[in-house]
Amino acid sequence: MKRSVNEDAPKELCQGHEDSTEVVDGMREKEPQCDVISDSNSLLQVKYELERSDLKKTLAFTGACAILISNVGGASIFIAPTTVLHYAGSQGMALFLWMLGGLVQLGMALGTIELALMFPKAGGPYFYIYQTFGDLAGFIFLWGFVLFIAGSTWALAAFTCSLYILSMIYTDCPPPTGLDMLLATFIMVTIVFINCTYMKVVTSIQKFLTASKLIAFFIIIIVGFAFIRTDTANENLERLTEGTQNNVGQLAMGLFSGYFSFGGWQLITFMVEEIKNPRRILPASVCSSFAILITSSVAAIFSYGILLSKEDMFKSDAIAVQFGNMVHPALSMVLSILVILCNLGSFNTLVMGQPRVLYAAGKNNQMPKMMTLLHKKFKTPWPATFTLGVLGFIMLQRGSIMALVDTIALYAGFMTVLMMLCILYLRWKQPDLPRPFKLPIFMPASFFILTLTLMMMSVMTKPNELGIVVVTVLMSIPVYYICIKWQKPARFFHYLDVLTNYLRLTLDLE
């Protein structure tokens, strides 16, 4: 753990420790002592307290790719890619905006690798913000992440899986009232318990679920191109650029939608501590995954346009199923099953990665210490996973799940802006810190300006979502001072310690 300290910090911070060092993954780690590194050319003095990780390094290249491919964009390409089309005006412009959005997200992912390899610890964006801007900034981000991202995305993912499963069973009538919530709860509980087992088992399951997404891409592309010489295809392709939007604001919103459709790559940074050789695997897996996703997504949307007109695409919220029906009902059924598995894979990656943020916050004393407990056998963060499971269940029972989409998108954009700001700030304040991976400075600066601009344009169309986010985030400041800074009320924290010890003994945690 690295924290900024003043030049007059007490020297006894690092006295009384023996100096035993070990090189792990290219980093000089110390256990349990700390070291103070001074840089005479820098305005900051940085204290490193590098501790041995308790999380197992189980993710190799294929495992990291499976997480990225499954979570980036989720199943949106098979469900509702028409948002970009709505703003683009034509299928040809929509193809261009999809590709451009993917390339922008790839650039930002590569920029964030700089932070991930500088601070290869669990927690991703939370950890980078905490290290760069201090305790309060880290807690403010953590507060918003838990309320707007973690619980909300779990509830939304479980509910989406439930809807698509029931749509296959109840084809001619709506399902019984409450069955969608019951099934969503069952899905959430099942995936949470699966993620409390060996990470190797979870990674193997994830590879299977990721394969379903790749197979769906393959089927749609092959079938679409097989019909490219038909009269329907010729008619649709002739209208490929018809209605192209000329309004810059509309095109910017289309770019934002395409850009958001390639989001979710941040999840791999939550788990960087569990990647076997992050300096090699992280850049390779990000580049490979985005190459597959951008190529497949653009080809799949082009395939949709071969059999479906622009008007047809707006008629359904399950465009892959509609595409299958144009060919044969059996193909529609196959694609429905693959989309369900794809949704489950995306949900599984969330449960794999997001508890690591609570784990990292517990290490920094910004979450109860129980969040740092791992199962002795499985080495997975049980309390952190169960906590987010409970939060996801609460969000699920609120009912208005789809209303969460806008606030999730807004806070995800805010998270990306902050990470780009971390890169720029550290380049300015700490230019001599080791950076195993580094992009030209104009790239993170450009991505910062672009993302901030797109967010502001999005907020102008939906200002209520911004108000909700701002008010909720500001509530974190008094909570930080009362609960984190002053540790009040003392009795509450005493009971937390008692509960932590009880869980440690009864659940075989450490």
Side-chain angles (χ1 to χ4, degrees), residues 325-340:
N325 279 326
M326 293 290 291
V327 181
H328 194 278
L331 178 61
S332 176
M333 180 64 68
V334 170
L335 289 175
S336 294
I337 294 171
L338 291 173
V339 170
I340 290 169

Side-chain angles (χ1 to χ4, degrees), residues 363-377:
K363 291 278 188 179
N364 294 334
N365 298 315
Q366 294 196 341
M367 272 282 173
K369 277 297 180 184
M370 70 177 70
M371 298 301 164
T372 65
L373 297 179
L374 305 176
H375 192 275
K376 289 182 179 179
K377 179 180 180 182

Side-chain angles (χ1 to χ4, degrees), residues 129-426:
I129 293 165
Y130 174 86
Q131 296 295 319
T132 306
F133 300 115
D135 292 15
L136 179 58
F139 184 79
I140 290 174
F141 174 81
L142 174 69
W143 176 272
F145 176 85
V146 171
L147 294 182
F148 291 119
I149 300 290
S152 300
T153 52
W154 287 33
L156 184 61
F159 189 68
T160 303
C161 293
S162 171
L163 288 181
Y164 273 84
I165 292 173
L166 292 177
S167 68
M168 290 184 60
I169 301 172
Y170 296 91
T171 55
D172 300 323
C173 61
T177 304
L179 185 59
D180 51 359
M181 288 294 183
L182 182 63
L183 181 57
T185 302
F186 173 77
I187 291 170
M188 184 179 295
V189 171
T190 302
I191 292 183
V192 166
F193 274 101
I194 288 174
N195 275 270
C196 290
T197 60
Y198 283 114
M199 273 299 297
K200 286 185 178 180
V201 174
V202 180
T203 304
S204 298
I205 293 172
Q206 184 56 48
K207 289 176 183 177
F208 167 75
L209 295 173
T210 301
S212 66
K213 186 172 184 177
L214 298 177
I215 294 171
F217 272 129
F218 179 77
I219 291 174
I220 290 170
I221 294 168
I222 292 298
V223 170
F225 279 79
F227 284 86
I228 199 168
R229 295 185 180 275
T230 63
D231 292 339
T232 301
N234 290 331
E235 183 180 345
N236 289 333
L237 292 177
E238 286 176 0
R239 301 175 58 196
L240 195 65
T241 59
E242 184 180 295
T244 298
Q245 180 63 249
N246 295 320
N247 185 283
V248 175
Q250 292 291 309
L251 291 175
M253 290 302 298
L255 175 59
F256 181 74
S257 299
Y259 155 91
F260 179 69
S261 297
F262 284 95
W265 50 265
Q266 297 91 341
L267 191 76
I268 196 66
T269 65
F270 299 167
M271 306 179 69
V272 68
E273 223 174 292
E274 295 160 84
I275 298 177
K276 290 182 178 179
N277 185 355
R279 292 191 179 190
R280 180 178 62 85
I281 289 176
L282 196 54
S285 61
V286 166
C287 291
S288 301
S289 300
F290 267 93
I292 293 171
L293 288 168
I294 293 173
T295 304
S296 300
S297 296
V298 172
I301 293 175
F302 182 76
S303 295
Y304 292 150
I306 291 174
L307 293 181
L308 301 173
S309 67
K310 183 170 68 173
E311 293 75 20
D312 291 333
M313 291 186 184
F314 287 113
K315 292 179 181 178
S316 175
D317 290 331
I319 194 169
V321 177
Q322 185 185 8
F323 175 87
N325 279 326
M326 293 290 291
V327 181
H328 194 278
L331 178 61
S332 176
M333 180 64 68
V334 170
L335 289 175
S336 294
I337 294 171
L338 291 173
V339 170
I340 290 169
L341 292 175
C342 180
N343 272 305
L344 290 172
S346 180
F347 185 22
N348 189 59
T349 60
L350 296 176
V351 182
M352 288 175 69
Q354 289 183 351
R356 274 62 180 172
V357 177
L358 270 62
Y359 172 84
K363 291 278 188 179
N364 294 334
N365 298 315
Q366 294 196 341
M367 272 282 173
K369 277 297 180 184
M370 70 177 70
M371 298 301 164
T372 65
L373 297 179
L374 305 176
H375 192 275
K376 289 182 179 179
K377 179 180 180 182
F378 301 132
K379 295 297 181 182
T380 50
W382 277 23
T385 304
F386 287 143
T387 298
L388 290 186
V390 171
L391 182 59
F393 176 78
I394 293 171
M395 299 296 287
L396 186 64
Q397 303 312 308
R398 291 180 57 189
S400 56
I401 303 298
M402 294 304 176
L404 300 170
V405 174
D406 291 329
T407 52
I408 292 172
L410 181 60
Y411 202 80
F414 176 64
M415 176 170 61
T416 303
V417 166
L418 286 177
M419 285 194 290
M420 295 300 107
L421 188 60
C422 286
I423 296 172
L424 297 173
Y425 184 84
L426 290 172

Side-chain angles (χ1 to χ4, degrees), residues 417-418 420-421 424 443-453:
V417 166
L418 286 177
M420 295 300 107
L421 188 60
L424 297 173
M443 293 184 69
S446 301
F447 296 141
F448 171 78
I449 295 170
L450 175 62
T451 307
L452 190 61
T453 302

Side-chain angles (χ1 to χ4, degrees), residues 34-76:
C34 62
D35 188 19
V36 175
I37 302 176
S38 297
D39 182 2
S40 58
N41 297 322
S42 173
L43 298 177
L44 296 179
Q45 185 181 29
V46 181
K47 185 185 81 171
Y48 287 92
E49 188 185 49
L50 298 173
E51 52 188 73
R52 192 185 308 276
S53 171
D54 295 320
L55 296 167
K56 283 189 175 181
K57 291 186 176 294
T58 56
L59 288 176
F61 174 75
T62 54
C65 285
I67 291 171
L68 283 163
I69 292 172
S70 190
N71 195 58
V72 172
S76 61

